[in-house]
Amino acid sequence: MIKIIDKKDCCGCGACVQKCPKQCISFQEDNEGFLYPIVNETICIDCKLCEKVCPIINKLKPQELPKTLIALKHIDEKIRKTSSSGGAFTAIASKIIKNGGVVFGAQFNHNWKVIHSYTETIAGLDAFRGSKYVQSEIGNSYKEVELFLKSDRIVLFTGTPCQVSGLYNFLQKKYDNLYTLDFVCHGVPSPGVFRWYLQEELNRSANLNNKNTIPIPPIRSIPKEEIKLPKGIKIQNIYFRDKINGWKKYNFSLHLTKSLENGEKESLIFSNNTLKNPYLYGFISDIYLRPSCFKCPTKSLTSSSDFTIGDFWGQEFYFPEFDNDTGVSAVIPNTPKAKDFINGLDNVLLLQKPFNIFLKYNPSIAQSATITTAKKIIQKKFWHNIGKYPFAKNLKRSTHLSILERIFIKINNK
């Protein structure tokens, strides 16, 4: 049976939970806000199916990286502006829908939790478009994919490389009507930490200019409950990659409405770039990534996905005429059927480019997040400070290194 002793040995893909024939495995959130499987041993029959589907127990060998890949740009600028990069997902997913298929992806639910779901319409793709820098809750998506496949529907499953690997392990057979798409993954941050950050921002918004009400007190640890909207506050949208200042200088943006005392509604937009937004800064600094991300089992195209997509960073140095700072996607068709599929896409501009150009600016396709002495100190301080400070203050204090800490880091990095 699945028994997690070291947290780095679970990527949270959910394959074990969905595969268990006795439904004796469930996810439970730990004190860092990540989900881990818990087994009810009283009803477990020790069939070991959970172990057979685990991507970490059953690691595949890294694939040989390709010599070329495709630079893709959707011709619809509105789609590019609402996409993470050049609109590759929308182009691929739209073709699946037009052929009567089903598309799975990550979206916000009514409580602004990132979950996996599916759509059968072009309009439904809007919810999946754009990055969500939070580990999604997979739910029963693998079971739903299997039901659609067995009913002869074409299915596109999109997710992190470990989620794609988990799906293949869950299915335990190949389906010609299944297409999978993963992306160049830096790592997945804690859903609990994002919930903490978002609740703090919502409360701060509610406290703004409210002179006649008692202010909402700060939250000093990861809230156990779902997001609670303060009175009069509504979330209109959350953008992790808002291109208001262009693709290369994207912002995190939170769009809210606030009901005023006179009955009118005020629009509030909080937007700042990666280095100034505390949540994004903590994410790119690897402070609250899932432990397994520091030894990812699905790097170097190991997930067996049909397509791998990512941002074609650095394109301005090699083919600047291809973009106007609204985004360029890199697409790696990993299988013969993916190559045929790409060649038949509508509404896109394609260029074949050397893979080494892409790799230079996207090392995460082959390398896991690194854990340095400095990161260990910062991570330890961040988790230790939970209960003492609100999220933003905790992050600021944790990333401020004392002289002694700097000396210790310098000595240990020799």
Side-chain angles (χ1 to χ4, degrees):
M1 72 179 72
I2 288 286
K3 188 172 285 188
I4 306 302
I5 298 173
D6 191 325
K7 289 182 177 180
K8 74 176 183 351
D9 294 330
C10 174
C11 62
C13 73
C16 59
V17 177
Q18 295 179 68
K19 195 66 178 179
C20 177
K22 302 298 288 185
Q23 297 183 327
C24 66
I25 307 177
S26 59
F27 266 148
Q28 182 174 310
E29 188 174 286
D30 72 348
N31 59 359
E32 295 180 357
F34 291 108
L35 296 176
Y36 289 91
I38 302 296
V39 180
N40 183 344
E41 298 186 23
T42 60
I43 57 175
C44 175
I45 58 175
D46 202 27
C47 64
K48 299 192 184 302
L49 280 176
C50 55
E51 297 177 19
K52 290 178 181 178
V53 301
C54 176
I56 288 186
I57 294 175
N58 304 283
K59 291 180 183 177
L60 297 175
K61 291 183 179 179
Q63 302 298 303
E64 183 178 346
L65 295 175
K67 302 239 186 305
T68 62
L69 78 169
I70 295 167
L72 180 150
K73 182 172 69 170
H74 202 289
I75 63 173
D76 189 330
E77 188 166 315
K78 289 182 180 178
I79 287 176
R80 291 204 308 278
K81 284 185 175 180
T82 55
S83 302
S84 295
S85 46
F89 161 75
T90 300
I92 295 168
S94 295
K95 184 177 178 180
I96 294 288
I97 297 292
K98 289 175 182 177
N99 289 333
V102 185
V103 175
F104 283 75
Q107 68 171 70
F108 289 109
N109 71 359
H110 64 284
N111 284 324
W112 296 95
K113 176 192 290 185
V114 179
I115 64 165
H116 250 72
S117 185
Y118 68 85
T119 185
E120 300 174 74
T121 68
I122 295 291
L125 297 177
D126 291 350
F128 299 151
R129 194 179 294 126
S131 298
K132 283 95 179 166
Y133 291 140
V134 182
Q135 184 167 32
S136 67
E137 195 168 297
I138 201 72
N140 290 316
S141 292
Y142 300 160
K143 290 182 179 181
E144 293 168 336
V145 167
E146 186 175 45
L147 287 173
F148 281 120
L149 292 172
K150 288 181 175 179
S151 62
D152 294 325
R153 297 287 296 279
I154 300 172
V155 175
L156 172 67
F157 178 87
T158 65
T160 62
C162 59
Q163 287 173 334
V164 170
S165 183
L167 171 63
Y168 279 126
N169 288 355
F170 172 87
L171 294 173
Q172 296 186 314
K173 65 173 288 189
K174 291 186 177 181
Y175 288 87
D176 292 335
N177 51 329
L178 172 64
Y179 290 85
T180 55
L181 180 152
D182 63 13
F183 50 86
V184 179
C185 183
H186 174 77
V188 289
S190 162
V193 170
F194 177 68
R195 188 168 67 243
W196 184 13
Y197 163 73
L198 182 57
Q199 189 68 68
E200 188 171 288
E201 288 295 290
L202 293 173
N203 293 352
R204 184 173 67 86
S205 301
N207 288 336
L208 284 174
N209 301 321
N210 279 1
K211 299 178 181 179
N212 300 323
T213 58
I214 299 173
I216 302 172
I219 303 171
R220 302 181 186 277
S221 60
I222 295 174
K224 298 302 180 186
E225 306 84 10
E226 299 295 337
I227 290 295
K228 291 183 178 179
L229 292 174
K231 185 178 179 180
I233 297 290
K234 285 190 177 180
I235 301 175
Q236 297 302 314
N237 221 324
I238 300 172
Y239 301 97
F240 288 88
R241 297 277 298 273
D242 190 344
K243 296 179 181 178
I244 188 172
N245 294 320
W247 172 50
K248 302 176 190 69
K249 297 180 180 179
Y250 62 85
N251 280 19
F252 177 94
S253 294
L254 179 60
H255 292 226
L256 310 174
T257 57
K258 183 176 182 179
S259 298
L260 303 178
E261 292 180 0
N262 60 8
E264 294 182 359
K265 290 187 177 180
E266 177 185 17
S267 293
L268 299 175
I269 298 178
F270 300 99
S271 183
N272 44 27
N273 65 33
T274 306
L275 295 178
K276 291 185 179 179
N277 179 268
Y279 179 77
L280 283 188
Y281 178 77
F283 163 52
I284 64 170
S285 301
D286 303 337
I287 295 172
Y288 31 79
L289 293 186
R290 192 177 183 97
S292 61
C293 295
F294 295 96
K295 198 174 182 181
C296 176
T298 50
K299 288 296 180 186
S300 298
L301 309 178
T302 308
S303 73
S304 301
S305 65
D306 292 300
F307 307 94
T308 297
I309 63 174
D311 296 284
F312 211 130
W313 299 125
Q315 57 80 35
E316 65 270 26
F317 302 116
Y318 297 95
F319 48 106
E321 72 285 353
F322 198 60
D323 184 50
N324 60 353
D325 202 24
T326 56
V328 176
S329 296
V331 182
I332 306 170
N334 298 311
T335 61
K337 72 176 183 178
K339 292 176 183 177
D340 292 339
F341 192 99
I342 286 288
N343 290 332
L345 284 181
D346 297 323
N347 302 317
V348 295
L349 299 175
L350 305 175
L351 292 176
Q352 185 167 294
K353 291 294 174 181
F355 182 80
N356 61 354
I357 295 176
F358 175 73
L359 182 62
K360 180 178 179 180
Y361 296 93
N362 291 269
S364 292
I365 194 169
Q367 300 173 13
S368 296
T370 56
I371 185 71
T372 62
T373 303
K375 285 181 187 177
K376 286 180 181 178
I377 292 173
I378 292 169
Q379 288 173 347
K380 185 177 180 180
K381 288 164 68 177
F382 180 82
W383 298 120
H384 178 74
N385 285 338
I386 286 184
K388 297 181 180 179
Y389 312 107
F391 169 78
K393 189 173 183 179
N394 182 355
L395 188 70
K396 187 174 182 179
R397 292 181 69 95
S398 300
T399 52
H400 177 75
L401 298 173
S402 68
I403 294 176
L404 289 177
E405 287 170 336
R406 292 175 186 276
I407 293 172
F408 179 80
I409 291 167
K410 190 171 183 179
I411 292 172
N412 281 271
N413 284 344
K414 284 185 176 181

